[in-house]
Amino acid sequence: MEKEIRNAIERATQKIRGILEADFAEQLQGDYDVMSDGRVGERPGAHLTGAQRALRARIVAAIEHKRAQGMKASEAVADYLRDAAFTTLNRFVALKMLEARDLVQECVSKGEASSGFVNEFCGLAPGLKFPDGSGYRIYIESVFDELSTEVKVLFDRRDPASALWPRKAAFDGMLGTLNSDDLKEVWAEDETIGWVYQFFNGEDERRLLREASQSPRNSRELAIRNQFFTPRYVVQFLADNTLGRIWCDIRGKDTALSEKCEYMVRKPDEEFPPRAKKDPRDLDALDPACGSGHFLLYLFGLLLSIYEEAYNDRESPKSKVTGSTLWEDYSSIEELRKALPGLILAHNLHGVDIDPRCAQIAQLALWMRAQKAYSDFKIGRAERPRIRRSNIVVAEPLVADEEVLKEFVAKLGNAELRDVFTGLVQTLNMAGDLGLLLRVERLIGPLSKSGRTGDLFAPPEERIRAALETFLRDEGVRSNMRRRLFADDATHGLGLLAAAEKKYDVILMNPPFGSFSTQARDYAREEYPDESTDILAAFVSRSQELLRSDGYLGAITSRTGFFNESLSDWRRTAFHGRRLRVFADLGENVLDGAMVEVAAYTVSSVAHSNRSLFIRAVATQEKENVLRAASRCDTARNLFSVDTEDFMKVRINPFAYWVAPRILHSAANGAPLEPDWADVRSGLQTNDDNRFVRLRWEVKQDEIKLSPGHERAWVGILKSDEAVPWFSDINTLVKWHHSGRELKALVEHKGNSITRHVPNEGYYFRPGVSWVKRSTRCIPTLVPAGVIPTVSRYIAYPTHGREGTLLGLLASDVVSALLRWNAEKFVWPI
């Protein structure tokens, strides 16, 4: 999608969010006595109708439910307003997209003049065309009710987020924006709903969150910081080299996917290794951080071809799901096509995310993709089976007040079920921060197997689901919103458990990167010790656990995970035995709005004997073209065939695929710089350069630290990212009064670790040799005493007695002879 169109979607999304949140906040305060600071009136006002009193009860229950999750009162109200605005916006975006696909009659594109309202609805009930627009609202809600039979999460009017309806001015403003000429081209695009999801939280909001704390403080912040759209060419590249590869291994050259998967990497004259045939209903694919479902949507298209090829193959095996083959279950290809979209959503595609709004988006997107398939098969609306199931799960805590929890547990009756459910409640406490990283199956498994769950009884998860349904429709006790919220959480918890207990043929993902949330750190250190410094590594390791023995993982993540020393042990474990198959080094400007360099790669479950293929696209803007050409192996300049075991021989095993094998051999067998020759360290991160960093001429000279023995307010900092050989003027200062007390206080105030942001303090002010962390080659710069290094550079501090020898290794003989390293005399000059 063109950048101008994306910008138009972003402007419209932010504008409508502002309109709706302002309107809903006024309604909460003026009509329902719910204040922005979280105060709630004890009783509904006398002015409210019976229907409004019921709505108020739903709203208050939803806010109290959020408070039970640990939110402050004001945060719970603000979060409810966000949910209400997002749900309302999504519904009307969905209607615009459904109109563009002829899946609903024109209902919003002309407001009350839309043909569905004027001709159909008012034709049947002309008295409902009221001046205040209330009749049009009834019409729109009837459209929601019809759609909710299949897309329940988004259109279910029992959802507390749908309790508020925009007043006329806000409603007209929303429709006017959605129907503007700037957006007329976007509604036919499948990606539009995903862009709305990403742009609902603007870049300014993400920036403020990062400024407040480097690590996400809760699950909501973790979700917002990582809402980045995966480009379609990356989605195709990863899917073609995982599911596409599996099916080609099964079918050899006898499959349309060999041509359809244009990004599948095939070496010249490569033969697909044999793989046992499989019924398509037994192919399971998962996106553990599914967002708006881009990977699942593309997989849907591949699966359409896979099912038809399997149906036409009379040697295709029986399904483990039905015990029969496709052609035994369906009498003709036409009958199969009628069932096919539902089969794919029920059996093949699975998604998990910690953001509840993802369930709205992903389920809608998959439902629309199913309707497109029906349309392509020329199956009319009246003949289409309803889509009753999709496997999209929200990972969130199971929150319930004690009264509802005790009431439900008592109704379970069976001691085994009580143990399973109580264990589930306790385990899911961290689900909102960890998603599928929470190894819930390990904690629940022993409980579910402790009783008799064999031939006489259904599995405990199924029995708990049945008990929840009974609990909600219990005629003896009035079903209320507290019960419904509890039941929704429990259903998602059981869904997360089911997702964690499965094994998958394909896992595709664009997972979060960076720090774990504050609440999840202890769990990460315990369960993911090698991966605890970056959540992306934990997602890769966890996904490998969830793969079948012949499965494939495809991921796009920050590329730093393959070079950082802190993830050295993770690389050695995750990629040992040549598991890495294809690695596309893409660099920056891939994830829209993300200041991160990325790589897209596929990993097999088991070790293989082939060399891994690396595709270098870091320094080009034509990344899509490079990947397409690399799939044919016709651009040797960008391709590197490497044995990844060579990386493992180097101490910190960076995946330096461009380095000649002889140099890797030297690095593996030569004497390391550390610890015999020098200690290599990096420096501090201020968290606020505008506050703590100045140019030298901006500060009075008597406030500048002259040498290690003096205490002044400002000291030199080697901050330049420029690779300058040998000598560089130190023109930048950092505020360091009382050993950086003010800077450290800010770090602590933001909830961050002082030792992480101000590391290696004992080395500050010592002389050494520095180089930029991110550079095409190492260009050393001499650093005098009296200077603090920055986080963007490494400094080698020579060990005692090695100063001259180290310079002899790194510098020319002339420089070494002139300098004659002297830590007492070589001090940063003013």
Side-chain angles (χ1 to χ4, degrees):
M1 191 177 289
E2 296 295 330
K3 187 171 181 62
E4 294 77 12
I5 298 178
R6 297 203 306 269
N7 289 341
I9 296 174
E10 181 175 16
R11 289 192 300 270
T13 300
Q14 287 291 302
K15 180 180 179 180
I16 294 172
R17 175 183 176 177
I19 290 172
L20 293 176
E21 286 191 357
D23 180 60
F24 290 163
E26 289 181 11
Q27 289 189 52
L28 283 185
Q29 181 169 333
D31 296 339
Y32 300 108
D33 200 19
V34 177
M35 306 301 164
S36 60
D37 61 5
R39 289 180 293 119
V40 178
E42 293 184 8
R43 297 183 181 85
H47 66 289
L48 297 181
T49 65
Q52 288 175 320
R53 288 168 181 259
L55 287 178
R56 183 182 187 273
R58 287 165 57 189
I59 293 168
V60 172
I63 292 172
E64 289 177 349
H65 193 68
K66 292 178 182 295
R67 292 197 64 184
Q69 296 176 21
M71 293 184 187
K72 298 177 183 177
S74 59
E75 293 173 342
V77 173
D79 199 57
Y80 176 80
L81 286 172
R82 275 190 295 269
D83 287 349
F86 187 78
T87 299
T88 301
L89 170 61
N90 274 349
R91 286 176 168 180
F92 285 91
V93 167
L95 291 182
K96 289 288 292 182
M97 297 181 72
L98 294 175
E99 281 185 3
R101 290 158 176 77
D102 294 323
L103 295 174
V104 296
Q105 280 195 309
E106 181 185 75
C107 53
V108 293
S109 289
K110 295 180 182 177
E112 291 190 52
S114 298
S115 61
F117 177 61
V118 174
N119 298 333
E120 183 180 272
F121 194 72
C122 291
L124 295 173
L128 289 176
K129 193 170 184 179
F130 301 125
D132 64 356
S134 57
Y136 184 54
R137 172 179 176 176
I138 293 172
Y139 164 65
I140 293 295
E141 289 182 332
S142 71
V143 176
F144 289 166
D145 291 342
E146 174 66 19
L147 291 169
S148 72
T149 61
E150 297 187 82
V151 194
K152 186 174 292 296
V153 173
L154 180 57
F155 292 109
D156 186 358
R157 289 199 289 130
R158 296 173 300 175
D159 184 347
S162 67
L164 296 173
W165 184 270
R167 293 175 295 187
K168 185 168 178 53
F171 188 81
D172 291 345
M174 175 181 64
L175 284 192
T177 302
L178 292 176
N179 292 325
S180 66
D181 289 342
D182 289 348
L183 299 178
K184 64 182 180 181
E185 304 295 331
V186 310
W187 305 119
E189 300 291 335
D190 292 338
E191 298 173 340
T192 296
I193 196 75
W195 287 117
V196 170
Y197 168 68
Q198 176 171 328
F199 293 141
F200 187 80
N201 298 295
E203 186 55 41
D204 289 344
E205 186 173 4
R206 278 190 277 270
R207 177 178 51 78
L208 290 173
L209 290 175
R210 294 188 186 102
E211 289 177 356
S213 172
Q214 183 170 7
S215 300
R217 291 167 293 186
N218 51 53
S219 59
R220 177 180 171 269
E221 286 192 11
L222 181 63
I224 290 175
R225 290 177 186 220
N226 288 278
Q227 286 173 353
F228 298 117
F229 193 92
T230 309
R232 183 171 176 81
Y233 73 90
V234 175
V235 171
Q236 289 185 243
F237 173 78
L238 293 175
D240 289 354
N241 285 288
T242 51
L243 180 61
R245 181 77 196 206
I246 286 174
W247 194 246
C248 285
D249 287 350
I250 290 174
R251 303 283 301 177
K253 295 180 179 180
D254 184 22
T255 173
L257 264 60
S258 62
E259 296 299 325
K260 187 173 184 177
C261 294
E262 59 179 322
Y263 290 94
M264 188 190 302
V265 175
R266 284 161 288 198
K267 298 174 183 177
D269 302 322
E270 179 181 10
E271 294 293 331
F272 293 111
R275 183 188 283 256
K277 290 185 177 182
K278 197 168 192 175
D279 185 282
R281 288 167 291 187
D282 299 332
L283 285 171
D284 290 292
L286 167 72
D287 184 344
C290 69
S292 52
H294 291 108
F295 285 113
L296 303 179
L297 288 172
Y298 182 71
L299 290 177
F300 189 104
L302 296 184
L303 286 161
L304 290 174
S305 297
I306 288 171
Y307 268 88
E308 292 206 9
E309 291 181 357
Y311 180 82
N312 292 321
D313 180 4
R314 290 300 184 264
E315 295 181 359
S316 186
K318 297 180 183 296
S319 168
K320 294 179 181 178
V321 176
T322 68
S324 54
T325 65
L326 280 172
W327 56 271
E328 289 173 337
D329 287 334
Y330 299 96
S331 59
S332 66
I333 190 68
E334 289 74 22
E335 286 299 311
L336 173 66
R337 286 173 175 173
K338 188 178 291 187
L340 190 43
L343 290 176
I344 291 173
L345 296 187
H347 297 299
N348 302 116
L349 302 180
H350 305 263
V352 177
D353 206 283
I354 63 173
D355 188 345
R357 292 170 297 183
C358 291
Q360 294 182 3
I361 299 294
Q363 288 192 16
L364 172 67
L366 288 171
W367 182 80
M368 288 195 298
R369 183 64 185 85
Q371 301 308 312
K372 181 180 184 301
Y374 284 134
S375 179
D376 292 342
F377 292 148
K378 303 294 189 290
I379 299 173
R381 291 298 307 278
E383 301 175 83
R384 299 175 186 178
R386 291 193 181 273
I387 302 295
R388 297 294 189 185
R389 176 183 171 189
S390 65
N391 300 302
I392 305 297
V393 176
V394 180
E396 58 185 356
L398 202 169
V399 178
D401 56 54
E402 288 298 317
E403 179 184 343
V404 175
L405 180 60
K406 289 179 180 178
E407 187 181 352
F408 177 71
V409 170
K411 287 181 176 294
L412 287 174
N414 179 282
E416 177 203 2
L417 287 187
R418 287 198 296 267
D419 288 344
V420 171
F421 189 74
T422 303
L424 183 66
V425 172
Q426 296 171 348
T427 303
L428 290 176
N429 185 48
M430 297 294 297
D433 292 86
L434 290 162
L436 261 182
L437 295 183
L438 186 68
R439 291 181 169 124
V440 60
E441 76 283 1
R442 294 189 180 181
L443 300 170
I444 299 300
L447 290 171
S448 66
K449 294 176 176 59
S450 61
R452 294 188 301 164
T453 59
D455 296 335
L456 297 178
F457 300 100
E461 296 95 326
E462 293 181 15
R463 292 150 67 193
I464 292 172
R465 287 181 195 276
L468 284 169
E469 293 177 4
T470 303
F471 187 60
L472 280 177
R473 64 172 183 263
D474 190 338
E475 296 179 0
V477 181
R478 184 173 60 87
S479 180
N480 56 35
M481 185 50 60
R482 286 162 54 201
R483 279 184 165 214
R484 182 163 296 282
L485 291 169
F486 163 77
D488 287 346
D489 284 355
T491 300
H492 281 301
L494 291 170
L496 184 66
L497 174 58
E501 289 178 324
K502 284 184 71 68
K503 294 293 183 181
Y504 301 90
D505 300 276
V506 171
I507 297 180
L508 296 177
M509 62 179 179
N510 178 0
F513 56 88
S515 301
F516 281 83
S517 70
T518 304
Q519 292 92 324
R521 284 178 184 168
D522 289 342
Y523 183 91
R525 294 189 188 103
E526 180 71 23
E527 291 289 326
Y528 298 96
D530 292 341
E531 302 90 344
S532 61
T533 59
D534 200 314
I535 196 170
L536 78 84
F539 265 95
V540 171
S541 295
R542 175 59 165 158
S543 295
Q544 289 175 310
E545 294 175 5
L546 296 173
L547 281 175
R548 291 195 171 112
S549 60
D550 55 353
Y552 277 100
L553 164 66
I556 175 172
T557 68
S558 166
R559 69 191 291 270
T560 59
F562 292 86
F563 304 98
N564 277 0
E565 182 175 359
S566 63
L567 291 175
S568 173
D569 290 338
W570 166 70
R571 289 192 293 274
R572 201 173 297 279
T573 301
F575 301 105
H576 74 88
R578 305 179 179 92
R579 293 187 181 189
L580 188 68
R581 290 299 185 95
V582 182
F583 184 99
D585 197 2
L586 300 175
E588 59 186 4
N589 299 322
V590 176
L591 300 180
D592 189 81
M595 300 296 293
V596 61
E597 293 188 353
V598 300
Y601 47 93
T602 66
V603 185
S604 62
S605 290
V606 295
H608 60 94
S609 59
N610 298 329
R611 297 164 71 86
S612 301
L613 186 70
F614 288 81
I615 306 167
R616 186 173 178 85
V618 175
T620 178
Q621 296 301 314
E622 302 296 324
K623 303 179 191 299
E624 183 174 356
N625 291 336
V626 170
L627 290 189
R628 188 178 286 111
S631 69
R632 302 185 298 270
C633 292
D634 60 2
T635 55
R637 182 168 55 88
N638 295 315
L639 300 181
F640 300 82
S641 180
V642 180
D643 185 346
T644 55
E645 289 300 292
D646 288 344
F647 302 147
M648 304 304 174
K649 299 172 185 176
V650 181
R651 185 178 64 87
I652 62 170
N653 54 62
F655 278 36
Y657 59 88
W658 61 89
V659 176
R662 60 181 178 79
I663 297 178
L664 281 176
H665 179 78
S666 297
N669 296 287
L673 186 63
E674 188 178 27
D676 292 341
W677 298 87
D679 296 330
V680 180
R681 300 290 185 270
S682 61
L684 68 83
Q685 183 175 351
T686 69
N687 282 280
D688 190 345
D689 282 358
N690 290 331
R691 178 173 173 180
F692 294 107
V693 177
R694 296 288 184 273
L695 294 173
R696 189 169 68 184
W697 46 84
E698 294 180 289
V699 178
K700 294 179 180 179
Q701 186 162 324
D702 60 1
E703 295 181 2
I704 300 175
K705 183 172 182 174
L706 299 175
S707 68
H710 295 77
E711 174 62 42
R712 301 289 178 91
W714 296 84
V715 302
I717 181 170
L718 183 62
K719 190 168 177 59
S720 172
D721 287 336
E722 185 180 3
V724 179
W726 306 124
F727 295 104
S728 177
D729 289 337
I730 311 295
N731 292 320
T732 312
L733 308 174
V734 63
K735 191 174 184 181
W736 195 251
H737 191 50
H738 294 303
S739 299
R741 183 168 62 188
E742 183 180 344
L743 188 153
K744 294 173 184 175
L746 177 64
V747 172
E748 251 185 342
H749 175 71
K750 291 185 174 183
N752 296 322
S753 164
I754 291 179
T755 56
R756 182 171 181 176
H757 290 259
V758 189
N760 310 308
E761 190 175 349
Y763 288 86
Y764 292 1
F765 308 121
R766 289 173 53 181
V769 179
S770 173
W771 60 92
V772 179
K773 283 184 179 181
R774 297 162 63 87
S775 180
T776 54
R777 62 195 184 98
C778 178
I779 300 178
T781 298
L782 300 175
V783 181
V787 174
I788 295 178
T790 186
V791 69
S792 64
R793 301 184 71 97
Y794 284 119
I795 293 189
Y797 296 101
T799 55
H800 183 68
R802 294 283 194 177
E803 294 88 352
T805 311
L806 178 64
L807 281 180
L809 290 172
L810 297 175
S812 68
D813 292 338
V814 175
V815 171
S816 182
L818 289 174
L819 192 56
R820 301 298 183 192
W821 192 275
N822 187 314
E824 293 299 321
K825 296 180 181 179
F826 184 41
V827 176
W828 173 55
I830 297 298

